[in-house]
């Protein structure tokens, strides 16, 4: 068992941190809004006042926050984790961020004498709570070897992507893109089925019972078929940010992704209309509206 | 056991007809190029010189041909199956055609005193041969009840879509659209992964081992990851035709499908360049080319 | 001066027919709703009860109707103009129709011993009334030579496109496509300007005073800048049909036109929402809505 | 006559600086590659070793450089113009940059006691040389009043966009976007005309002789019709950068611009294939290639 820290106790981080505790690790936690740490404190976690304080004495520090700016601030800012982290310790970065951000932070760690691995988490908050996440992992081989056992209690399995931590960030962006692509595809098909007279639900039931019998189509498709976009796994602005990261990365590589642009546009409209209290899957409404439904 | 006919012995139809024979049905077959019927004749099938002759005396006539024009000709043309079909007999129409074509042919059957059910088949030629197809079924309830047992030896299961046979044609178009959408999505993601340095194969292995663990992503994704678009399940012109049917139907319903248009465009380019000796999945090459790869 | 007929007295045809009369031609007219012919009768036109009757005795018959079906019916239908037209007479087809329709009707004329030229008209109803149209012209050289002087009183000039009448139909489709493309472009730019704080009108005034100083940007741009989509030059369903013709033609040639698809989608949404009492330029609203404006 | 400086002597800046000299202004110039200043020196300009040196003593400093990074560096960098500029002097920023960059630099000027106006230039290098540019102008009213006369010898006219200099940057982005949109539209139409048999040139001649009789369609259309993308007004990477700025700005405002994305994708492909020795209009090749031409 290791001495670990966990920074960022949002809907994903809370479940992940709890599973580290349950696995027997010694855990110090930090969250900007301290109240969210209470349930973990009850389970034995220590609450730190700053990321630096949380990192002090830890062999490994997990981070799970909303965006690149937050991750950068809590890593390299005045009270950031680097200010407390011992040389040789490991930063396990689980957030969805730009590959370039991962590269930049890895360089900051190298200068500090510590290491960063990127370990993005695939799954919704309920999967985080149930230790059913899938995890990517990339970074220097030796560091990966140290971090991998810590990831075990968080999910169903860990896939490694080599020595460059940015590669795991790329994989995470690809994964989220593919989810959005499947949502757009189902939204178009179910809308056609509705206007044709087949109905949304019969088409959905057929697809997930046959060719598309996998969790993504079951879970997101159920929302699209029923037009009931709750509970909120992730709200539209958060995943819209992820698609911006996909497109920024693709633009830097001169790799056109028209389908990613289409989904990004749907989500921009969703955010522009302040539909923020639904799951991001609700961008499927745009497809129906464009066909004159739900007006 | 029933007295059946099968018209259209292409890569799909041949396997389906063979499975009807193996199930013990009495089968008469017809194909424009008669030579293709030889293996079925060896298994006990009778070869008819025209669709009308094939239909004569049959309780049910299956058709599995390339497009709307071929299906219309062999149904209502001079030597078409209606010219031989007994009143009360059933036409089991398995081709991918426009819902409007299905409606038109159903009306021709009604005038003739016979019935049409649409029973589109989901799966590649190897699935047809292995009796692993999934089948849709729509048409008048009583007629469906007669036809359903005949479908059993062809696949893994049959899903019913009500009394209007055109609805099964809609479901088939939706299914093919969703396949193309998944291919486009993987092509964009794998291209990004390649240009990023992750590589196509590691991303594919991760996805199909986790969130996208279903046959579509396994089978089509393998081709896209390896850039090896063989064997030919269906060549580009055939599926391009299917996407035209999707878009024509969507246009009539005023239901915009930008993702279907994107895939259709990829396939138009593929056909315009005469890349017809590969599986239609090869439209994924367009995505790589647009990113400056494979030039 | 010639003995002519004019079939189709909609908002475009009425002005065109009046200008033929004013030029001194002897004119017989036909319209499905006969009442629309009254003003022309007052100017000396004879009103015929059928297209065939209108065509009887005419050296040239103009047609200007809504779509391919109407044109086909009034040309080759039971009381169609071919039933009255003398061998050697000329059909001047001004409607926006599929190139394939033009080809089909030209063949019907050839069989009849008459000729068809396509002479699509570019301009709005007010330009038709003011004899400010631009005309395309294609068909056999000798026939073009006969028809060209008749076109003179209708517009500002006639451009010839060779011996194949279908080529003029292609040019007309290209022209309408370019109008729609310019509308989409302005709609996106003006929406960005509005959300940025520049405002729609200042951007419009700048553009049409500098780089885009041509009628299309002035006239359509004024509507988009002011969000006032009146008067109705052509309603959304009519031009949506034109874009369908563009896409059908492009699909047959395997020539992807993603911008034409984008505009077509905007217009499908407009039609699906029954916004039919505005000029087709109003599809620009979709762009604003997608940005969270006009909701 | 004023004491001015000009920084950035590329294909645009050189002509602009020369026209300031010809108008009788006293001019100090700076360019990273000093050799480019030689022709101006011959006309009486003083050559400065740094932006700071060029700005020293100037009432107004023009800048015309490639991108946001270059502009930021030469304004606020160690030897940047702010290091030499007198309080009360004016920075006339002519480059195409992000509105946010303009805002940031305007704030730096405010802190310094100087002012910034944005004065983006519309036109190609030949228009810059011939004093045929169109200029936008935005910034504090009093500063605009001082700068406006300096702009007179550069072009055909100046349009003002209020007190916020960022607004002129927005207008410039909108203008470039509209150029790209027109190119895409012509490329799709001319490709359809080519595959139809009309030919590219006849369609072009018709359009620019009638509805689209304005410089943009004449000049860019000539290249597209002839497929001859020379001379280079601006190379693909430069305008691709402009489209990235458009899309970044639109993304921040949640204003989807699918047509801007389409053009950006075309240019990404062009850059990914290293086609950098042609005018950016050459992205029109992508449209032809997608239709199976130019392969």
């Amino acid at each position: 068992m290791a001495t670990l820290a966990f920074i960022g106790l949002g809907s994903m981080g809370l479940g992940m941190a709890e599973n580290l505790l349950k696995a027997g690790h010694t855990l110090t936690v930090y969250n900007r809004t301290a109240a969210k740490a209470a349930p973990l404190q009850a389970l034995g976690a220590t609450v730190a006042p700053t990321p630096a304080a949380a990192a002090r004495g830890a062999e490994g520090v997990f981070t799970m926050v909303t965006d690149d700016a937050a991750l950068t601030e809590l890593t390299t800012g005045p009270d950031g984790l680097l200010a407390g982290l011992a040389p040789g310790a490991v930063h396990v970065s689980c957030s969805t961020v730009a590959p370039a951000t991962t590269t930049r932070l890895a360089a900051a760690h190298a200068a500090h004498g510590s290491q960063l691995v990127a370990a993005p988490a695939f799954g919704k908050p309920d999967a985080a709570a149930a230790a059913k996440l899938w995890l990517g992992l990339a970074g220097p081989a030796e560091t990966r070897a140290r971090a991998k056992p810590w990831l075990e209690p968080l999910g169903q399995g860990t896939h490694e992507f080599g020595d460059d931590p940015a590669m795991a960030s790329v994989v995470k962006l690809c994964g989220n893109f593919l989810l959005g692509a499947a949502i757009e595809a189902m939204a178009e098909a179910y809308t056609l089925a509705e206007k044709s007279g087949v109905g949304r639900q019969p088409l959905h039931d057929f697809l997930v019972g046959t060719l598309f019998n996998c969790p993504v189509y079951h879970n997101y498709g159920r929302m699209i078929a029923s037009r009931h976009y709750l509970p909120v796994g992730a709200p539209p602005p958060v995943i819209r940010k992820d698609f911006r990261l996909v497109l920024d990365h693709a633009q830097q590589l001169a790799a056109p992704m028209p389908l990613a642009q289409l989904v990004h546009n749907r989500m921009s409209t969703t955010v522009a209309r302040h539909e923020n209290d639904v799951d991001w899957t609700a961008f499927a409404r745009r497809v129906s509206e464009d066909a004159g439904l739900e007006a």
Side-chain angles (χ1 to χ4, degrees), chain A:
Chain A
M1 292 304 107
T3 301
L4 301 174
F6 204 106
I7 297 173
L9 303 173
S11 58
M12 292 294 294
L14 202 61
M16 295 167 74
E18 185 174 331
N19 286 323
L20 287 174
L21 272 172
K22 286 181 179 166
H25 294 297
T26 302
L27 196 70
T28 303
V29 300
Y30 168 78
N31 195 59
R32 216 171 33 180
T33 313
K36 290 212 179 154
L40 296 172
Q41 206 169 9
L43 291 169
T46 304
V47 180
T50 62
R56 209 156 281 133
E59 298 166 63
V61 182
F62 283 73
T63 53
M64 186 57 160
V65 294
T66 308
D67 60 25
D68 298 61
L71 177 62
T72 299
E73 174 66 18
L74 72 80
T75 304
T76 61
D79 286 317
L81 65 89
L82 275 180
L85 197 69
V90 178
H91 178 179
V92 183
S93 173
C94 302
S95 311
T96 305
V97 294
T101 298
T102 297
T103 297
R104 207 156 38 229
L105 295 180
H109 275 283
H112 183 74
S114 49
Q115 281 89 38
L116 178 141
V117 291
F122 295 80
K124 297 184 170 188
D126 57 352
K132 292 285 180 94
L133 297 172
W134 293 104
L135 293 136
L137 178 62
E142 198 191 336
T143 316
R144 269 186 283 141
R146 289 176 62 197
K148 199 172 176 185
W150 304 336
L151 298 175
E152 225 159 84
L154 303 183
Q156 307 185 56
T158 300
H159 285 67
E160 301 189 40
F161 294 98
D163 295 347
D164 178 355
M167 294 303 103
S169 298
V170 172
V171 170
K172 174 61 178 171
L173 294 182
C174 288
N176 280 11
F177 158 65
L178 281 160
L179 296 180
I183 293 168
E184 170 71 24
M186 285 186 277
E188 293 190 15
Y190 295 6
T191 296
L192 188 69
E194 179 181 356
K195 289 199 94 172
S196 299
V198 171
R200 298 168 82 95
Q201 197 66 49
L203 178 62
H204 172 70
D205 292 342
F206 170 67
L207 292 169
V208 300
T210 58
L211 303 169
F212 291 90
N213 189 359
C214 57
V216 166
Y217 286 82
H218 273 283
N219 297 337
Y220 292 94
R222 186 188 309 120
M223 286 184 170
I224 302 164
S226 68
R227 289 177 163 167
H228 185 71
Y229 300 104
L230 295 171
V232 177
V238 169
I239 308 294
R240 177 173 180 257
K241 179 266 300 174
D242 293 355
F243 272 79
R244 179 174 58 73
L245 297 179
V246 170
L247 293 177
D248 283 353
H249 186 61
Q251 130 79 30
Q252 283 157 33
L253 295 172
M257 296 182 74
L259 178 45
Q261 290 168 326
L262 175 58
V263 174
H264 182 263
N265 288 349
R266 302 283 195 204
M267 299 189 61
S268 289
T269 299
T270 303
V271 168
R273 295 190 189 167
H274 311 292
E275 295 184 15
N276 295 335
D277 54 348
V278 283
D279 189 64
W280 70 287
T281 308
F283 80 74
R285 285 176 180 163
R286 307 285 84 78
V287 179
S288 294
E289 287 167 354
D290 284 353
L293 306 173
E294 312 203 29

